[in-house]
Amino acid sequence: MSDAFDILVVGAGPAGIAAAVTAAECGLRVGVVDDNPAPGGQIWRSGAHLPAAAQRWKARFEAAPVTRLLGWRIVDCPEPGIARAQCNGAEIGRDSTTEIGRDLHYGQLILATGARERFLPFPGWTLPNVMGAGGLDAMARGGLPIAGKRVVVAGTGPLLLAVAAHLAAGGAKICAICEQASFGQMAPLMLQVLRQPGKLWQGVRYRFATKTSRYLTRCWPVAAEGDQRLQTVTLQRDGRQWQVECDYLACGFHLVPNTELAALLGCRLEKGFVVTDELMQTSAPGIWCVGEPTGIGGVELSLLEGQIAGLAAAGKTDAARKAGASRRGALGFVRALERACRLNPQLRDLVRHETIVCRCEDVPLGALLGRTGWRDAKLHTRCGMGPCQGRICGGALEFLFGWHADSVRPPVFPALVSSFLGPETLDLPKEAV
């Protein structure tokens, strides 16, 4: 398996698949790195019940002459043209003949690193069975028994209705779907959806699948209670509170783009997103970025951006510009979605002095009061210094205090020292790895 590529794509979600397929079909050597064992990302995680467009793209991806490094993740880019990857299955004590880390050489780099859910702290959010909305959906697709379970889905964004529909199809009882935004706040997004028959029909199908469940706007969880695990959720709407008995709370407050690798590579960011030109090229030479890191816009826009970047990186500039014209028309949905998912300031009042904010390091809100910023909080409380490297608490701290991470250092993900030693050291005794 070659370690040298004309184009290296980081991420095998819809945007990464489109970029890799498009570039490979132009005759270039293309490699794709993704930390999941199968392509598709979060949106196409399961091969079952995928829309026809997803099946076509995945079939093209399987047929394309693309080197697929699935189950690997990029942890560092030590110099231009080199990305250092670590095998996700690597564990201390494994067979020393098995490759753990490798350097991937590339001419052009396309970042399709996707996004993650935003979590906001509230009393009881660390209880077992309080999960991210997309996280519970992924576990259910992976085999978690969900039939007959009572589920409250809460937060903000289109993901809520999609998750509720998927869980209901698996036999779950959806007690309520709680959207923190008001109907008026979401109205511009609805107008955008009306102009896109595909999105409209998808929304109608999701709502029909959950027709027996209450869909409540201006509603959010204020507390989760239970003995050892979740048993009840306290919901609030227009100042009124009530309790709902449930087995799971699926809670996610929209999405946060995964921009850490882009920041490490020196790409310019604005308002938390990677800045690109009309060809999806970043401010860093030879680096493109597509999908959610450039703006949360959904799978159709991600596919389009992937094709634009694939063509541009392959030198097909005219074709890329032609495709870029379609992208400009789709950006209205991105702006409408951003406004619709704007968080209600009242959500800041949910966090109590003793509420854990950083789950990795058990840092409560009280320890963060009086700190002047992200770096100050890290130095005095270790907030953001756990295994998730601030990916969970970072979005919450941005909302609560307006703090932003002021630097990104390698490794981008937790990594074994052996990943940085090079293949010539992999024959060392296990005790030395």
Side-chain angles (χ1 to χ4, degrees):
M1 186 160 47
S2 173
D3 284 343
F5 307 100
D6 297 318
I7 298 175
L8 180 64
V9 181
V10 183
I17 287 175
V21 168
T22 302
E25 290 176 350
C26 291
L28 280 78
R29 292 175 300 166
V30 178
V32 177
V33 182
D34 193 281
D35 56 3
N36 289 296
Q42 301 300 322
I43 191 72
W44 292 344
R45 176 186 293 270
S46 172
H49 309 298
L50 286 178
Q55 295 180 34
R56 287 195 298 269
W57 274 106
K58 292 188 77 171
R60 285 178 66 183
F61 182 67
E62 292 299 327
V66 174
T67 299
R68 290 171 278 273
L69 288 89
L70 302 177
W72 289 74
R73 61 175 28 155
I74 303 299
V75 296
D76 189 14
C77 292
E79 58 184 270
I82 297 179
R84 184 156 290 159
Q86 173 181 282
C87 180
N88 254 4
E91 297 176 356
I92 294 176
R94 66 182 293 172
D95 183 354
S96 62
T97 63
T98 303
E99 191 173 21
I100 296 174
R102 65 196 307 181
D103 283 350
L104 307 176
H105 299 257
Y106 61 86
Q108 314 288 338
L109 184 67
I110 299 178
L111 303 177
T113 46
R116 59 186 181 270
E117 289 185 270
R118 183 193 300 272
F119 302 101
L120 296 182
F122 54 86
W125 77 299
T126 58
L127 271 174
N129 290 0
V130 178
M131 302 182 180
L136 180 58
D137 185 40
M139 292 183 69
R141 291 173 185 266
L144 177 71
I146 200 70
K149 301 296 184 182
R150 301 163 298 176
V151 182
V152 172
V153 182
T156 195
L159 181 64
L160 301 184
L161 195 57
V163 167
H166 294 158
L167 295 177
K173 178 185 177 182
I174 308 301
C175 303
I177 305 168
C178 306
E179 166 61 61
Q180 63 90 37
S182 67
F183 181 84
Q185 184 177 331
M186 294 190 297
L189 179 63
M190 295 178 183
L191 291 176
Q192 287 286 336
V193 171
L194 288 174
R195 300 189 186 106
Q196 302 182 49
K199 282 186 170 60
L200 177 61
W201 175 238
Q202 186 179 57
V204 169
R205 286 192 293 108
Y206 286 157
R207 189 64 189 108
F208 182 78
T210 58
K211 61 182 183 297
T212 60
S213 306
R214 293 183 297 169
Y215 185 92
L216 304 173
T217 58
R218 308 184 313 280
C219 182
W220 53 80
V222 297
E225 301 92 7
D227 182 16
Q228 303 300 317
R229 63 175 181 82
L230 177 69
Q231 293 174 314
T232 63
V233 174
T234 301
L235 301 176
Q236 176 175 301
R237 189 186 194 211
D238 296 335
R240 184 176 71 89
Q241 295 187 1
W242 70 97
Q243 283 192 327
V244 176
E245 294 184 352
C246 60
D247 301 297
Y248 290 99
L249 170 59
C251 193
F253 291 87
H254 201 35
L255 301 174
V256 178
N258 294 321
T259 59
E260 291 80 9
L261 186 56
L264 182 68
L265 289 163
C267 302
R268 184 163 66 92
L269 276 66
E270 285 185 3
K271 298 181 180 180
F273 293 97
V274 179
V275 177
T276 65
D277 63 15
E278 62 179 357
L279 300 181
M280 308 313 300
Q281 187 163 12
T282 71
S283 60
I287 299 177
W288 280 258
C289 189
V290 296
E292 311 295 32
T294 68
I296 309 300
V299 65
E300 292 85 0
L301 182 58
S302 293
L303 287 168
L304 181 57
E305 290 182 349
Q307 294 173 77
I308 295 169
L311 290 168
K316 308 292 185 180
T317 305
D318 291 342
R321 291 189 190 280
K322 185 177 180 180
S326 301
R327 175 179 179 264
R328 287 192 292 272
L331 293 179
F333 180 81
V334 176
R335 293 188 288 269
L337 182 59
E338 182 180 359
R339 290 192 294 270
C341 296
R342 188 171 57 249
L343 297 178
N344 191 315
Q346 294 182 54
L347 294 171
R348 295 190 180 96
D349 300 332
L350 302 181
V351 193
R352 300 173 185 169
H353 195 275
E354 68 278 6
T355 303
I356 294 294
V357 175
C358 175
R359 301 176 66 149
C360 295
E361 297 293 331
D362 290 332
V363 181
L365 175 69
L368 298 170
L369 298 177
R371 305 271 65 92
T372 60
W374 179 262
R375 184 181 294 271
D376 184 35
K378 289 175 70 174
L379 289 172
H380 287 87
T381 70
R382 290 191 54 82
C383 182
M385 296 182 70
C388 86
Q389 295 178 274
R391 287 176 170 82
I392 300 298
C393 62
L397 292 171
E398 179 185 352
F399 174 65
L400 294 173
F401 299 112
W403 295 348
H404 300 273
D406 51 12
S407 66
V408 176
R409 300 176 181 177
V412 179
F413 293 97
L416 297 173
V417 173
S418 51
S419 297
F420 295 86
L421 296 179
E424 68 275 5
T425 64
L426 296 179
D427 58 351
L428 293 173
K430 293 180 181 179
E431 293 77 13
V433 175

